[in-house]
Amino acid sequence: MTLEWIKPEIILGSVMYAVIGVVIFWVSFVIVDKITPYKLWEELVHHKNVALAIVVGAMCLSIGHIVAAAIHG
């Protein structure tokens, strides 16, 4: 059993891809928030809009899948 995954370049690459994925996810969420006619965070937290929370959750999952597929290749 080899421990190739412990090499610093592999760990650094994984961390870099994770950071890139999180940044892309965050930017895409901000873009979606800007193009909607209302503030998503205010609507979710203050008005407790469950239907919007489900839609935003599905959007987050789909953006996450797209980012993961783009990074994985």
Side-chain angles (χ1 to χ4, degrees):
M1 184 168 140
T2 63
L3 298 175
E4 291 185 21
W5 59 274
I6 297 182
K7 292 181 181 177
E9 57 268 6
I10 293 175
I11 293 174
L12 181 63
S14 297
V15 169
M16 285 178 48
Y17 278 123
V19 169
I20 291 169
V22 169
V23 168
I24 292 172
F25 176 79
W26 180 75
V27 167
S28 61
F29 183 81
V30 169
I31 290 171
V32 169
D33 188 24
K34 296 293 182 190
I35 63 175
T36 54
Y38 42 83
K39 300 282 187 190
L40 289 178
W41 190 254
E42 179 183 332
E43 193 70 26
L44 291 173
V45 174
H46 298 299
H47 300 291
K48 307 223 185 293
N49 190 340
V50 176
L52 181 64
I54 292 170
V55 170
V56 169
M59 179 204 61
C60 290
L61 286 173
S62 59
I63 290 172
H65 283 287
I66 291 169
V67 170
I71 289 175
H72 184 51

